[in-house]
Amino acid sequence: MSAEKKVDVTVIVPVYNTEKLLRRCVDSLVSQTWKSVEILLIDDGSTDHSGEICDEYASAYGSVKAVHKKNGGVSSARNMGIDLAQGAYLVFVDSDDFVHPRLIELYMLAAKEQTVLACGYTKSEEELRQLRTEQWEEQITVYNKQEFLKFMKDEYVNAPWNKCYETQIVKENCIRFDEGRSLGEDFLFNLDYFAYAPGVYRVIPYPLYYYQEGREGSLANAFAPQLFKLQMEMFERLRGFMEEGRIWSVENQGEYYQLYWNRLYLVIRIFLACKSGGAYPKQVKEVLTEALGSPVWKEAWDGYVRCRRVTLKDRIKCLHLMYLRWRYRGWRP
């Protein structure tokens, strides 16, 4: 692509069997107020009419390109989009979601050297459609690298769809989504990106992105037996990121272990819900019992107690955990 045709932003949309919601998504993208945008619709082997809809939009709009590939999963589709991207920035949008018409414009207006961009999201269509953005610049929230865990707790780290990435950083450092994973790949992609990205994070807190609830394959809809071990791996990677980034301070260690312990506890609650209402109660019980017996509980709790004052709420959770360990493993304090 020549310099004259270079675009500011590439929007990558992985598409798989979302014919009922796809038009809503793409309509929100072709209606963006910022026009220097290319939209890549990566049809990941859809078996419904999604591929035809992609072609329809590509024929109607010069900014839209439809790419058809053999089914390989969402990570594979996103990676193909990265390889094809011509924009200086990358934005990921899932095909069953949609965005505010000023999303790209506000990203571009907020873009500064040595900064990472993110935005808020909503699960209410009405909230996004009625959103007014006139005072957006006054609402910008800025985090520095030392505040990375706060940035994470405020839900700006895990997902790829609430951020604007610098294409050069992604491509030059070969940052890609792990196509062998079905969980945790977004978080690990983002950690890889943040390792090379600037250490200042600017957030437009407005809910500019609509997230569709009830996705097929989400944790709310499926039992994921690897979820507990995945948390251990993710937090090990997070610790490595913090140590290499020289933000492994005493204060951040306390935040880290508090977040780690609570995330493990949340997984136990998810397993309990799956056991009571799922289709695989025996399998869930086996995974639950194994998770409750893991030595990681002591590591995370000891680190939390050592570095940070434990909240009353977390002490109550700890008592509940002790009861569960007694119930499922015959454990004694």
Side-chain angles (χ1 to χ4, degrees):
M1 181 174 285
S2 66
E4 290 76 23
K5 295 183 179 179
K6 189 77 173 179
V7 294
D8 293 330
V9 179
T10 296
V11 181
I12 298 172
V13 185
V15 178
Y16 180 72
N17 290 357
T18 52
E19 61 179 2
K20 294 181 180 179
L21 296 171
L22 181 56
R23 293 182 188 279
R24 181 185 68 175
C25 174
V26 185
D27 283 341
S28 76
L29 297 174
V30 298
S31 301
Q32 288 294 298
T33 55
W34 193 270
K35 298 306 180 183
S36 183
V37 176
E38 69 167 349
I39 302 163
L40 302 182
L41 304 179
I42 313 296
D43 172 30
D44 189 39
S46 296
T47 57
D48 63 2
H49 295 291
S50 295
E52 298 168 25
I53 295 173
C54 292
D55 290 335
E56 175 188 324
Y57 277 91
S59 297
Y61 297 92
S63 61
V64 178
K65 298 176 183 178
V67 181
H68 304 278
K69 62 182 288 296
K70 182 179 179 181
N71 180 254
V74 64
S75 292
S76 172
R78 287 173 177 158
N79 287 340
M80 177 172 282
I82 292 171
D83 293 338
L84 297 173
Q86 298 292 328
Y89 294 89
L90 298 174
V91 171
F92 296 98
V93 175
D94 289 346
S95 60
D96 47 0
D97 299 337
F98 70 99
V99 301
H100 190 277
R102 293 192 72 195
L103 172 71
I104 303 301
E105 178 190 359
L106 295 186
Y107 272 148
M108 292 299 93
L109 293 176
K112 294 184 178 180
E113 291 185 5
Q114 301 302 308
T115 189
V116 172
L117 296 170
C119 75
Y121 74 97
T122 180
K123 297 179 182 179
S124 166
E125 289 191 48
E126 195 65 22
E127 182 180 14
L128 185 144
R129 296 190 189 281
Q130 293 185 359
L131 178 65
R132 300 182 64 86
T133 59
E134 290 84 355
Q135 307 299 320
W136 70 273
E137 200 163 8
E138 299 173 10
Q139 305 300 319
I140 289 282
T141 303
V142 180
Y143 304 77
N144 60 46
K145 196 164 188 177
Q146 287 291 335
E147 298 172 306
F148 185 83
L149 289 179
K150 185 177 189 307
F151 184 60
M152 179 175 168
K153 287 197 291 186
D154 288 344
E155 300 187 23
Y156 294 117
V157 170
N158 282 33
W161 40 255
N162 64 345
K163 279 174 279 297
C164 184
Y165 302 84
E166 290 187 43
T167 306
Q168 183 176 1
I169 292 175
V170 173
K171 290 194 172 187
E172 286 188 353
N173 297 288
C174 299
I175 301 170
R176 295 296 186 272
F177 292 90
D178 186 341
E179 298 179 20
R181 291 178 176 273
S182 58
L183 287 173
E185 70 280 6
D186 296 348
F187 177 80
L188 296 176
F189 174 90
N190 285 331
L191 271 192
D192 287 342
Y193 179 78
F194 287 127
Y196 296 98
V200 176
Y201 316 116
R202 301 188 83 211
V203 175
I204 306 167
Y206 286 141
L208 299 169
Y209 188 101
Y210 171 78
Y211 178 85
Q212 179 71 36
E213 287 192 285
R215 300 175 192 263
E216 183 179 351
S218 70
L219 291 181
N221 298 325
F223 167 54
Q226 73 273 36
L227 188 57
F228 190 86
K229 292 180 179 178
L230 174 64
Q231 298 304 314
M232 295 169 62
E233 179 185 355
M234 289 169 62
F235 273 83
E236 182 178 347
R237 288 280 297 274
L238 175 59
R239 175 170 177 165
F241 166 82
M242 295 175 67
E243 289 176 340
E244 291 172 12
R246 299 182 179 181
I247 57 173
W248 188 243
S249 62
V250 173
E251 177 62 25
N252 276 337
Q253 288 177 43
E255 291 272 2
Y256 168 88
Y257 284 118
Q258 180 186 26
L259 185 60
Y260 191 4
W261 193 91
N262 274 281
R263 191 65 60 83
L264 294 173
Y265 179 79
L266 175 61
V267 172
I268 294 299
R269 296 295 298 268
I270 291 172
F271 284 169
L272 288 171
C274 289
K275 181 177 180 297
S276 62
Y280 309 100
K282 183 177 180 181
Q283 184 184 7
V284 177
K285 183 178 179 180
E286 291 174 353
V287 173
L288 179 62
T289 301
E290 180 181 359
L292 288 168
S294 172
V296 73
W297 292 105
K298 177 175 173 53
E299 174 195 344
W301 186 258
D302 286 352
Y304 182 9
V305 172
R306 181 176 65 252
C307 301
R308 190 174 180 84
R309 182 174 296 175
V310 180
T311 67
L312 177 60
K313 184 177 181 180
D314 286 346
R315 290 188 184 278
I316 293 172
K317 290 179 183 178
C318 187
L319 290 174
H320 181 227
L321 179 71
M322 291 169 62
Y323 163 74
L324 291 173
R325 297 185 73 178
W326 169 79
R327 178 180 175 183
Y328 285 94
R329 296 185 56 83
W331 177 84
R332 295 291 186 275

